[in-house]
C-alpha cells in the first residue's frame, strides 16, 4: 500500500501485465499525475503558452482565435465557479446542506466544456458539474435544493438545456444518447444553420466509465452516429478507488473500440478543454457523430463531504496536483500576456464575494416545501392511490390544528 | 371501419400502427423489431411503412433501450420500447425504477416521460428459462409507473393506443400465450375505447364466487366459470386490466357481490398482485365477506423448467378447487 511520501507515479500494484504479447500498455497509463504525450495542452503550470506540437496542433487555431476578452471571461468563470463550490462546501459544514460534491480542481475541465456549448446544446450532468451548470446559465442556487433535501432535482432542465443531476452513476450517458438520437430525427444536425444544429454533451467521472450504462451509451451512440460528446473527467479517484481499479486502459484509448475518436486533454488547462470540446461539438453538430473526451484532471477535495481522502491517498500526490491549479495557470497566462491587470483580478474577487453572499442567503432562506406537495407530480394524470393518500395526509394534519399541537 | 376478427398479436400491431399514424412523434424501439417484426411479430410491417427512424432496431442492451428512450422523451418523442421477453427486463430495471418512474417528480412536474415499455410475459409456451416470468409486481410496486395488461384482442388494440397517448410512463404486459387467440375487434374510432386504461372489466356475471384475475389467466378463469356453471356454481369474473393503479371501486363491487373471492394469477403468490387485492378486500369489504380471500398463483419458486409448467401455472382444477374451498366456509 502506498504511504505518504511514496512515489506516486505508476502505482499499479501488479505492474505491466505481460502474459499476452499483443497487449500494449500505453505509456503513462497508470500515472495519475502525468497525462503523457497524447494529452492536448496549451498552458504549462505557470501559464506560459506552449509551442504548437503534434498533439495540440489540430486545436491551435481555435486557441489563436480567442481574444483577450475571451481569456478574461474564462478566468472569471473559473474563479466564480470555484467560489460557488467553496460556498457549497461551507454550507454543508455549517449544517445548511446535507451533502456537497466538490468540483475543486476540475474547474477548467467544466468551464472549457461548458463555454464550448451553444445555447441549443444540451448537457446531461452527473452530480458534480456545477461549472457546466454555471456556463449554461443555471443559477447556482438551483443546485442546492437537492443537497439541502427540499427536492430531488427541482429545476426545469429545458430552461437552460441542462438536465437534472443524476446520482446513479452512468444513467445519464444513455439519456444524453437518446436525446441526441431525437436531435437526429428532428433534422437538427448538419444543416449548416448555427442556431439550429445541436449537440449533446454527457458528463461522468472515471468511475462512471466502469458502468454498464456508460458502455451501452457508447455502443448506441456509435451505432447511431449520434451527435453526442462524452466528456469523462478523469479526476483519478472514484471515492477511495484509484482509476486503475476502473479500467485497464484509459478512457480516451477505449473510444476507438466503440468506433469513434477519443481525445485526452489537460483538464486543468481551460484553453485546451475549450478547444477540444469545441472541435468535438462542431463535429457532432455537423453530423460527424460522437467523440469521447477524457479531461485528465484531479479531484482536490473529497468525493463528497461524507468521505475523508486522507484515508486513501497520499499527500504528495495532492501537492503535485496543487501545482497544476487551473486558476493559477490561467491567471499566469493573462498576466504574462498583459491581458488583465490587478484591477480586473480584484474585480473578479469582489464579484465572487458577492456571489457567495447571494448563494448563502438563498440557501438559508430556501423554504421547506409545503408538506402536501410531497404527493404532487408523481404522475401526470391523477392516480387514485396517491390522491387518496394525499387527502388522508391533509386530513390527518388538519386534525391537529387548534388541538394544542 | 367495421368489426374485424383479429388475433391479440394483430390487435397490438394494429394499435401500434394507429398510434404511429396519429402522432409522428411515436417511435418503436427494441431488438429485432424492424425487418423481423419482433420475435412475436408484434411490430411486423411497421418498419417497412414508417421507416428505420421510427422503428428502430437497437443494439442488444436493455438498459440502453430504456435509457435512450428516456432521452428521446426529453426531446419530445413518445417511444414504445419492446423488451423481448419478461426475463430480459432486469438489465433495464435500474433505468425503469431509478429514472423512468421518478423523472416527473424530480423535475417538480416540468418533465414528462410518455414512454410505453412492452413486455411479453407469462408461461405456458414451453420456453426455456427467463422466457416465462410474471414480474409485474416489481413495477406495480414502484410509484411513478402505470402497469397494465390486456387479455383479449380488443383490449390489445385500444389499450395500446391509450398507453401511448398517456403522458405517464406505462409498463404494458402482453400475455404471450394468448397472442394467437382471435376475437372480434371494433376498430371504429367513433366508438372508441370501451373502457379507460385504468379500469377493470367484468368478463362474466356471476353470483356465488368472484374470480379476480388479469392477463393470461382471464381465459383460464372464464373456462373455469364454464366448468363451474355445469355443476350449478355461478362464478363472477373480474379482469383487472390495470395493475397500477388498481380499479379499487370495481374490485370492491365484485367482492361485495358474492362475498367470496379467489384471486388468480401466474406470478408466485408471495407479495404479488393477489396479496394487494386480498389486503384491499379485507380492509374495505370485511363485513361483506363470507370466506377469506383465497389466492391461486404460481408456486414460490423460480419459474420451473417447462416440463413442470402445467403444474406450476394455475389451471382449471386449481381454480375450481379454490372455489370449492371458498364455498365450504
Amino acid at each position: 500500500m502506498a504511504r505518504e511520501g511514496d512515489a506516486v507515479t505508476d502505482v499499479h500494484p501488479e505492474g505491466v501485465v505481460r502474459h499476452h504479447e499483443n497487449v500494449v500498455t500505453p505509456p503513462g497509463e497508470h500515472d495519475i499525475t502525468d497525462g503523457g504525450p497524447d494529452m492536448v495542452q496549451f498552458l504549462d503550470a505557470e501559464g506560459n503558452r506552449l509551442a504548437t506540437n503534434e498533439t495540440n496542433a489540430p486545436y491551435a487555431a481555435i486557441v489563436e482565435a480567442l481574444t483577450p476578452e475571451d481569456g478574461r471571461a474564462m478566468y472569471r468563470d473559473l474563479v466564480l465557479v470555484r467560489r460557488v463550490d467553496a460556498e457549497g462546501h461551507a454550507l454543508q459544514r455549517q449544517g445548511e446542506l446535507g451533502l456537497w460534491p466538490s468540483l475543486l480542481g476540475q474547474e477548467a475541465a467544466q468551464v472549457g466544456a461548458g463555454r464550448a456549448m451553444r445555447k441549443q446544446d444540451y448537457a446531461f450532468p452527473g452530480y458534480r458539474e456545477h461549472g457546466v451548470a454555471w456556463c449554461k446559465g443555471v443559477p447556482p442556487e438551483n443546485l442546492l435544493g437537492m443537497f439541502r433535501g427540499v427536492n430531488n432535482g427541482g429545476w426545469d432542465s429545458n430552461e437552460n438545456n441542462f438536465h437534472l443531476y443524476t446520482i446513479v452513476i452512468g444513467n445519464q450517458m444513455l439519456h444524453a444518447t437518446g436525446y441526441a438520437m431525437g436531435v437526429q430525427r428532428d433534422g437538427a444536425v448538419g444543416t449548416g444553420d448555427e442556431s439550429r444544429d445541436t449537440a449533446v454533451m454527457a458528463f461522468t467521472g472515471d468511475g462512471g466509465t466502469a458502468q454498464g450504462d456508460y458502455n451501452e451509451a457508447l455502443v448506441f451512440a456509435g451505432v447511431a452516429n449520434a451527435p453526442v460528446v462524452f466528456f469523462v473527467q478523469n479526476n483519478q479517484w472514484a471515492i477511495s478507488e484509484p482509476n486503475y481499479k476502473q479500467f485497464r486502459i484509459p478512457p480516451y484509448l477505449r473510444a476507438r473500440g466503440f468506433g469513434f475518436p477519443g481525445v485526452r486533454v489537460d483538464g486543468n488547462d481551460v484553453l485546451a478543454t475549450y478547444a477540444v470540446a469545441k472541435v468535438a461539438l462542431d463535429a457532432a453538430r455537423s453530423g460527424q457523430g460522437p467523440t469521447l473526451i477524457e479531461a485528465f484532471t484531479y479531484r482536490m477535495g473529497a468525493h463528497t463531504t461524507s468521505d475523508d481522502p486522507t484515508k486513501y491517498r497520499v499527500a504528495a500526490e495532492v501537492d503535485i496536483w496543487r501545482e497544476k491549479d487551473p486558476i493559477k495557470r490561467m491567471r499566469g497566462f493573462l498576466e504574462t500576456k498583459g491581458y488583465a491587470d490587478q484591477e480586473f483580478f480584484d474585480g473578479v474577487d469582489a464579484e465572487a464575494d458577492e456571489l457567495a453572499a447571494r448563494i448563502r442567503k438563498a440557501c438559508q432562506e430556501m423554504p421547506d416545501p409545503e408538506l402536501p406537495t410531497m404527493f404532487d407530480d408523481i404522475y401526470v394524470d391523477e392516480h387514485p392511490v396517491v390522491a387518496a393518500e394525499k387527502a388522508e395526509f391533509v386530513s390527518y394534519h388538519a386534525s391537529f390544528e387548534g388541538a394544542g399541537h | 371501419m367495421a368489426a374485424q376478427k383479429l388475433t391479440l398479436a394483430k390487435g397490438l400491431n394494429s394499435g401500434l400502427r394507429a398510434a404511429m399514424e396519429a402522432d409522428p412523434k411515436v417511435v418503436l424501439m427494441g431488438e429485432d423489431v424492424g425487418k423481423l417484426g419482433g420475435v412475436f411479430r408484434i411490430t411486423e410491417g411497421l418498419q417497412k411503412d414508417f421507416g428505420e427512424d421510427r422503428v428502430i432496431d437497437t443494439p442488444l442492451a436493455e438498459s440502453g433501450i430504456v435509457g435512450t428512450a428516456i432521452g428521446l422523451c426529453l426531446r419530445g418523442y413518445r417511444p414504445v420500447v419492446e423488451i423481448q421477453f419478461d426475463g430480459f427486463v432486469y438489465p433495464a430495471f435500474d433505468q425503469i425504477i431509478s429514472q423512468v418512474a421518478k423523472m416527473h417528480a424530480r423535475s417538480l412536474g416540468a418533465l414528462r416521460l410518455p414512454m410505453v415499455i412492452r413486455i411479453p410475459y407469462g408461461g405456458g409456451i414451453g420456453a426455456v428459462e427467463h422466457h416465462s416470468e410474471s414480474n409485474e409486481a416489481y413495477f406495480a410496486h414502484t410509484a411513478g409507473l402505470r402497469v397494465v395488461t390486456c387479455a383479449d384482442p380488443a383490449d390489445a388494440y385500444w389499450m395500446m393506443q391509450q398507453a401511448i397517448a398517456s403522458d405517464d410512463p406505462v409498463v404494458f404486459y402482453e400475455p404471450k400465450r394468448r397472442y394467437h387467440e382471435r376475437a372480434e375487434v371494433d376498430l371504429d374510432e367513433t366508438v372508441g375505447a370501451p373502457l379507460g386504461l385504468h379500469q377493470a372489466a367484468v368478463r362474466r356475471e356471476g353470483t356465488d364466487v368472484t374470480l379476480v384475475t388479469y392477463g393470461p389467466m382471464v381465459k383460464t378463469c372464464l373456462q373455469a366459470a364454464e366448468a363451474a356453471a355445469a355443476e350449478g356454481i355461478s362464478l363472477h369474473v373480474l379482469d383487472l386490466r390495470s395493475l397500477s393503479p388498481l380499479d379499487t371501486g370495481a374490485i370492491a363491487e365484485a367482492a361485495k357481490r358474492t362475498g367470496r373471492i379467489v384471486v388468480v394469477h401466474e406470478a408466485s403468490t408471495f407479495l404479488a398482485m393477489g396479496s394487494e387485492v386480498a389486503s384491499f378486500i379485507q380492509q374495505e369489504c370485511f363485513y361483506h365477506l363470507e370466506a377469506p380471500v383465497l389466492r391461486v398463483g404460481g408456486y414460490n419458486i423460480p419459474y420451473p423448467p417447462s416440463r413442470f409448467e402445467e403444474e406450476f401455472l394455475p389451471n382449471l382444477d386449481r381454480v375450481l378447487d379454490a372455489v370449492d374451498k371458498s364455498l365450504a366456509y
Side-chain angles (χ1 to χ4, degrees):
Chain A
M1 294 298 291
R3 294 177 306 277
E4 189 151 354
D6 284 356
V8 291
T9 52
D10 197 11
V11 290
H12 194 294
E14 295 162 18
V16 177
V17 178
R18 299 181 192 286
H19 55 269
H20 289 299
E21 285 302 314
N22 59 348
V23 170
V24 178
T25 303
E29 174 189 341
H30 297 123
D31 186 329
I32 62 172
T33 61
D34 183 347
D38 289 349
M39 185 169 77
V40 178
Q41 197 175 29
F42 284 100
L43 297 177
D44 71 10
E46 274 67 51
N48 299 306
R49 173 77 160 76
L50 294 168
T52 301
N53 57 39
E54 201 180 333
T55 310
N56 69 19
Y59 308 96
I62 291 167
V63 173
E64 295 303 329
L66 290 169
T67 64
E69 191 183 0
D70 291 331
R72 287 193 295 272
M74 285 176 168
Y75 175 84
R76 174 179 173 270
D77 281 351
L78 293 173
V79 171
L80 296 185
V81 163
R82 176 168 292 185
R83 194 55 179 267
V84 167
D85 184 69
E87 198 58 30
H89 190 267
L91 286 165
Q92 193 280 335
R93 288 292 186 249
Q94 291 158 15
E96 298 287 344
L97 300 177
L99 185 81
W100 183 253
S102 171
L103 62 56
L104 186 64
Q106 299 176 222
E107 296 89 348
Q110 294 189 15
V111 168
R115 288 188 71 88
M117 296 180 84
R118 290 187 191 151
K119 191 175 179 354
Q120 73 270 25
D121 294 339
Y122 215 106
F124 284 82
Y127 43 75
R128 200 188 294 285
E129 276 68 47
H130 321 314
V132 182
W134 172 264
C135 293
K136 290 298 284 178
V138 177
E141 297 91 324
N142 284 15
L143 308 177
L144 303 181
M146 67 182 293
F147 296 113
R148 191 170 168 86
V150 303
N151 59 48
N152 285 324
W155 64 85
D156 179 354
S157 11
N158 293 324
E159 280 179 6
N160 298 91
N161 287 357
F162 183 81
H163 190 62
L164 301 174
Y165 275 173
T166 306
I167 301 286
V168 179
I169 291 176
N171 279 174
Q172 76 279 11
M173 309 307 275
L174 282 166
H175 306 166
T177 304
Y179 191 95
M181 290 163 66
V183 168
Q184 283 179 308
R185 278 157 183 75
D186 291 344
V189 177
T191 68
D193 178 349
E194 283 201 5
S195 65
R196 180 162 187 215
D197 287 342
T198 300
V200 183
M201 212 160 191
F203 294 86
T204 191
D206 46 295
T209 67
Q211 284 282 352
D213 276 7
Y214 169 88
N215 289 279
E216 291 188 20
L218 270 57
V219 169
F220 273 69
V223 168
N225 203 42
V228 56
V229 176
F230 299 104
F231 195 88
V232 176
Q233 292 164 84
N234 178 0
N235 69 13
Q236 316 300 332
W237 292 91
I239 307 190
S240 71
E241 294 192 11
N243 59 23
Y244 59 77
K245 301 271 190 193
Q246 308 299 332
F247 38 71
R248 178 69 172 268
I249 62 169
Y252 76 105
L253 290 174
R254 290 170 63 193
R256 178 85 186 144
F258 292 96
F260 48 85
V263 183
R264 176 177 270 191
V265 63
D266 184 341
N268 286 26
D269 174 350
V270 71
L271 299 181
T273 56
Y274 171 79
V276 168
K278 185 171 187 312
V279 167
L281 288 163
D282 285 344
R285 289 188 210 101
S286 67
Q288 296 173 66
T291 302
L292 188 150
I293 297 171
E294 176 193 348
F296 195 81
T297 183
Y298 194 75
R299 190 191 80 213
M300 293 298 290
H303 165 68
T304 69
T305 42
S306 292
D307 72 312
D308 173 7
T310 66
K311 285 188 182 299
Y312 55 78
R313 67 186 188 188
V314 297
E317 177 187 307
V318 184
D319 292 341
I320 290 171
W321 276 97
R322 192 170 289 116
E323 291 304 308
K324 300 170 185 281
D325 184 73
I327 294 181
K328 184 189 76 150
R329 198 184 301 194
M330 192 58 186
R331 181 168 178 146
F333 175 71
L334 295 178
E335 287 175 336
T336 308
K337 290 280 191 182
Y339 289 165
D341 56 17
Q342 190 61 41
E343 190 184 346
F344 167 77
F345 294 117
D346 291 346
V348 172
D349 287 344
E351 197 181 349
D353 288 343
E354 284 168 27
L355 177 63
R358 189 186 97 197
I359 293 169
R360 166 167 299 268
K361 188 162 182 286
C363 182
Q364 289 168 340
E365 289 177 355
M366 195 176 288
D368 281 349
E370 293 289 322
L371 277 180
T373 63
M374 173 168 78
F375 297 95
D376 293 347
D377 300 319
I378 311 302
Y379 293 89
V380 178
D381 298 324
E382 187 177 270
H383 188 284
V385 173
V386 178
E389 285 190 343
K390 180 175 181 178
E392 200 177 320
F393 179 87
V394 169
S395 146
Y396 175 70
H397 278 265
S399 71
F400 294 122
E401 279 174 19
H405 287 271
Chain B
M1 255 188 290
Q4 290 183 24
K5 198 151 194 179
L6 297 181
T7 62
L8 191 150
K10 188 64 182 170
L12 291 166
N13 178 272
S14 303
L16 290 168
R17 178 179 290 278
M20 293 184 82
E21 281 168 353
D23 183 353
K25 293 293 186 183
V26 175
V27 295
L28 310 188
M29 308 171 69
E31 298 154 18
D32 309 305
V33 298
K35 280 200 177 117
L36 182 65
V39 292
F40 292 108
R41 311 292 185 267
I42 305 303
T43 57
E44 191 158 49
L46 297 177
Q47 189 182 62
K48 182 171 154 287
D49 294 342
F50 294 98
E52 292 184 19
D53 272 355
R54 293 191 64 195
V55 181
I56 308 165
D57 270 323
T58 65
L60 205 159
E62 285 75 13
S63 191
I65 295 168
V66 174
T68 52
I70 291 172
L72 279 158
C73 286
L74 296 173
R75 184 72 189 181
Y77 286 81
R78 302 182 87 85
V80 182
V81 309
E82 176 173 305
I83 301 294
Q84 206 156 62
F85 283 91
D86 35 61
F88 301 169
V89 74
Y90 306 117
F93 196 72
D94 173 33
Q95 284 285 355
I96 298 172
I97 300 301
S98 303
Q99 302 296 337
V100 175
K102 298 184 171 79
M103 197 73 81
H104 185 60
R106 296 185 63 230
S107 67
L108 305 181
L111 303 178
R112 295 180 177 189
L113 299 186
M115 173 192 312
V116 176
I117 301 169
R118 295 180 38 234
I119 307 179
Y121 80 123
I125 62 166
V128 296
E129 63 174 343
H130 312 302
H131 288 68
S132 303
E133 301 176 13
S134 298
N135 42 31
E136 59 273 16
Y138 294 126
F139 300 107
H141 184 68
T142 300
L145 303 174
R146 291 179 187 274
V147 183
V148 302
T149 178
C150 57
D152 63 36
D155 270 358
Y157 177 69
W158 287 110
M159 288 176 81
M160 180 56 70
Q161 293 177 72
Q162 291 169 322
I164 294 169
S166 169
D167 280 333
D168 286 315
V170 178
V171 182
F172 194 108
Y173 276 98
E174 301 170 1
K176 70 168 90 79
R177 76 154 125 163
R178 307 296 181 211
Y179 272 146
H180 304 299
E181 307 278 339
R182 279 177 189 278
E184 291 278 324
V185 180
D186 192 340
L187 305 175
D188 192 339
E189 61 187 34
T190 58
V191 175
L195 286 169
L197 188 62
H198 61 288
Q199 287 178 299
V202 174
R203 297 297 182 195
R204 182 186 173 113
E205 302 266 353
T207 52
D208 293 330
V209 178
T210 294
L211 302 179
V212 178
T213 188
Y214 56 89
M217 283 291 106
V218 171
K219 184 182 179 188
T220 307
C221 286
L222 288 171
Q223 289 171 334
E226 281 291 312
E231 295 177 16
I233 301 168
S234 168
L235 298 184
H236 188 75
V237 179
L238 182 72
D239 172 6
L240 290 175
R241 299 172 80 249
S242 174
L243 307 180
S244 176
L246 279 172
D247 185 349
T248 50
I251 295 170
E253 196 180 308
K256 288 173 183 174
R257 189 182 178 94
T258 62
R260 301 177 192 276
I261 301 96
V262 176
V263 191
V264 184
H265 53 56
E266 289 194 12
S268 302
T269 52
F270 183 73
L271 290 176
M273 293 308 303
S275 316
E276 182 62 34
V277 171
S279 169
F280 168 78
I281 292 173
Q282 74 83 20
Q283 192 171 310
E284 300 299 326
C285 313
F286 186 70
Y287 292 109
H288 296 269
L289 292 180
E290 303 290 341
V293 180
L294 300 177
R295 292 180 286 160
V296 179
Y299 297 107
N300 291 291
I301 56 174
Y303 195 90
S306 59
R307 295 285 181 184
F308 291 106
E309 72 181 346
E310 287 304 317
E311 291 303 316
F312 177 85
L313 295 167
N315 55 22
L316 286 194
D317 288 344
R318 282 174 62 200
V319 173
L320 292 172
D321 190 49
V323 166
D324 288 345
K325 267 189 200 158
S326 181
L327 286 167
Y329 276 93

